[in-house]
Each structure stands twice: as C-alpha cells, then as structure tokens.
Amino acid sequence: MGQQLQWGRRYLMVQPDHFRVDYAINPFMDLADQPDPVRAREQWLGLVEAIRSSGAEVEVLAQRPDAPDMVYAMNLGLVVNQPEGERVVMSHMRYPERRMETGSAQPWFAEHGFATSYVGRDGVGAHFEAGDVFAFGDALVAGYGPRTEELGLKHLATELDVRVRGLRITHPGMYHLDLAFCPLDETRAMVCPAAFDDASAAAALAMVPEPLVLTEEEALTFCANSIVVGRTVLMPACPDRVRAQLEEWGFEIVLVDVGEFHKGGGSIRCMTNPVDVLSGRDLPAVLGGEVVIP
Ligand code: ARG
C-alpha cells in the first residue's frame, strides 16, 4: 500500500451565495441551464460535512456578488508552504470574467498568515490557474494550454524554488489538469491520457508508478475531480471499473452529489483548495526552480 498523501487535511472553500452561470468559458457552461440556488447550497453544505467527517478541516470565504465562478475556490491560488512560513501564489486567470476573484481572496490569505505573491511581476505575467497544479512525486505537476500558459510554469518554478513538470492539455472538456489527474497517494493517481497530446500523455503515465488510467468517458463524469483525505476519496461520481480498482487498493469511496456545480464546469476538487501543501515534505525544494516539458 502506497504512503498516504500528507496534504489535503485543510481546505479553503467559498460559500455559494452568488453562484450563477453568467458567461460560458468552458464546454459545460450553458446560460440556459442555471443552477438552482437552494440545491446548490444544500450540496455545498453536504460537501463541507463530508470533508469534516473524513477528518479534514474546512475554512470558508465569502463569495463576491459579481464573481459567480468564485465558488471554484481551487482556482484562487496555489498554496505551497515553505518551512519558514505559509505561502500562496495567486492565480492570474485566463478569462477577464474571473480576474477580480483573486483580489478578493488575497486578503483572506494575508489575514491567515500566508505570504502572497503573483505569477509574473505585479500580476501582469503569464496566465496561471491553480486548478492546473498538483504536488506529486518529485515536482509540481502542471497542466498548460487551455488556461495556464507554458510561460506561467517558469514563473511558478522560480517563485517557489521547485521543479515543475508540464503536461500539455489538448482536450477542450478537460481544460484544467484536475479534470484529468488526481493524486491518490504517493505512488498512485488517476490519469486520463486522452486529455493530453501524445508526448504529455506518455509523460503523465511515466510520472505515476501505479496509474489508474481513465478513459475519456470516465473522466467526463468528473470522477478525477475528487479529493483524497488519507484513505478516503470524496468523489462526485465513480464508474464501476474505477470503484473496483480503488477498493482493491484499500480506498474508501464517499460519493457526494455536487451536480449543480457541474453546470459551471467544476466539481469537488474545483470547489476545495488544499492550503496545507508543504515544500520539502510534499515535494523537494529545487533552488532557482526547474521546468521539465516532455
Ligand atoms: N467555470 C469555471 C471556469 O471555467 C470552472 C472552474 C473549474 N475549476 C477547476 N479547478 N477545474 O473557470
């Protein structure tokens, strides 16, 4: 059995008081298919409860009325704490519709002791969305293409003094890495090769000692957009074949319905931002940083 992930025991979430579909910036969003606010609120509370029951903590940030996608808290910024102190790199969103979100989230991080920085100088650098990034193995694994730009990986590596392994995303429906990749423990992860170009699909599989390979159809259920607390996997959906493999590996699956949030193109992982990733424990420090692209 692989060593459990050390991070994923403390999450930031945004309370969905103003969740709507006001624009369409991914293939799931349709202005004619609006989320029901009461159901969304219930599902969100159900997710908070499920996370707390699994033994992790949840912290809550208020939603800006003019930022309907802010409920996808993962995209606000990437926490990679340093031994000398807590640290977050704020996202620089691809679409102007979401750019104001980070300005509202930064004070929360500052008040909670996180030193904040932006990718590129003064936030005018390359696009970078934290939903594209995970600590896994010897590096931050980062998707680029639809949202994060390749240049953003360079900024990230330098900013955090870590190795960044880039994967080029080509599938329009898996526009963030967290729709196609999900670390399960230190040697296992769900991986959907159909999300990437050929070289990056091969690199993604090579990075994971024991991959749970997802078909495109499986990934489009949002099953990779799950979070893992120790041996518990909180999932929005779990195709039978995926369930069989997870159970064989000793994971406990908890299904949580967040279907209203799928209307904005995101699920459990998108709604939760782990704020306890620690450099030197969850990934090695690399002075000056390094980017590896297949
Ligand atoms: N509507 C949001 C967007 O397109 C959804 C974000 C999903 N978040 C994620 N981490 N994949 O930006």
Side-chain angles (χ1 to χ4, degrees):
M1 196 176 266
Q3 182 75 35
Q4 291 183 15
L5 297 172
Q6 300 295 297
W7 56 272
R9 266 107 172 146
R10 186 179 169 216
Y11 294 94
L12 173 63
M13 292 178 66
V14 172
Q15 187 164 300
D17 292 333
H18 310 281
F19 175 45
R20 304 174 302 270
V21 177
D22 278 0
Y23 44 79
I25 56 171
N26 68 56
F28 300 95
M29 299 174 89
D30 173 359
L31 273 72
D33 187 17
Q34 291 294 327
D36 177 272
V38 176
R39 274 181 61 79
R41 169 100 183 153
E42 283 167 8
Q43 291 179 347
W44 186 88
L45 288 170
L47 177 58
V48 171
E49 179 54 32
I51 295 172
R52 291 188 172 142
S53 302
S54 72
E57 286 170 48
V58 176
E59 310 228 24
V60 180
L61 170 64
Q63 183 175 12
R64 269 177 79 121
D66 61 347
D69 268 342
M70 196 174 161
V71 297
Y72 303 107
M74 185 57 231
N75 294 124
L76 296 172
L78 180 74
V79 171
V80 176
N81 299 309
Q82 310 292 315
E84 58 277 11
E86 296 185 307
R87 182 77 196 277
V88 60
V89 181
M90 303 308 295
S91 292
H92 179 42
M93 309 273 196
R94 163 80 57 166
Y95 293 103
E97 288 90 335
R98 293 198 67 183
R99 293 219 183 114
M100 76 295 232
E101 294 177 27
T102 47
S104 287
Q106 192 278 339
W108 184 91
F109 285 106
E111 282 158 23
H112 289 78
F114 291 81
T116 52
S117 56
Y118 290 84
V119 158
R121 194 155 299 147
D122 304 322
V124 295
H127 297 143
F128 155 65
E129 297 192 4
D132 272 322
V133 184
F134 288 95
F136 185 78
D138 67 350
L140 284 180
V141 180
Y144 68 96
R147 297 295 178 90
T148 297
E149 289 175 284
E150 188 178 340
L151 181 61
L153 309 187
K154 184 74 212 155
H155 288 306
L156 198 60
T158 320
E159 191 73 42
L160 293 169
D161 287 317
V162 293
R163 181 176 297 114
V164 176
R165 293 191 179 275
L167 299 173
R168 196 160 80 85
I169 299 175
T170 48
H171 193 298
M174 292 185 245
Y175 55 91
H176 277 136
L177 183 66
D178 59 15
L179 298 164
F181 185 83
C182 178
L184 295 164
D185 63 22
E186 288 197 345
T187 55
R188 297 169 174 140
M190 289 186 253
V191 185
C192 179
F196 310 107
D197 69 17
D198 291 347
S200 289
L205 293 171
M207 230 173 251
V208 184
E210 288 182 275
L212 199 174
V213 179
L214 301 178
T215 64
E216 177 185 18
E217 194 192 352
E218 286 166 343
L220 292 175
T221 66
F222 288 102
C223 70
N225 206 257
S226 297
I227 59 171
V228 180
V229 181
R231 289 272 149 205
T232 305
V233 192
L234 293 113
M235 309 184 76
C238 188
D240 291 345
R241 202 187 58 88
V242 175
R243 174 182 290 275
Q245 180 62 84
L246 290 172
E247 287 179 347
E248 191 186 315
W249 281 341
F251 290 99
E252 187 204 342
I253 295 156
V254 176
L255 285 179
V256 184
D257 180 11
V258 291
E260 293 306 303
F261 296 89
H262 295 181
K263 296 175 181 173
S267 195
I268 292 178
R269 147 77 180 189
C270 303
M271 297 162 67
T272 54
N273 192 330
V275 295
D276 57 349
V277 174
L278 177 61
S279 180
R281 180 191 67 179
D282 303 321
L283 74 168
V286 175
L287 201 62
E290 180 192 6
V291 177
V292 184
I293 298 283

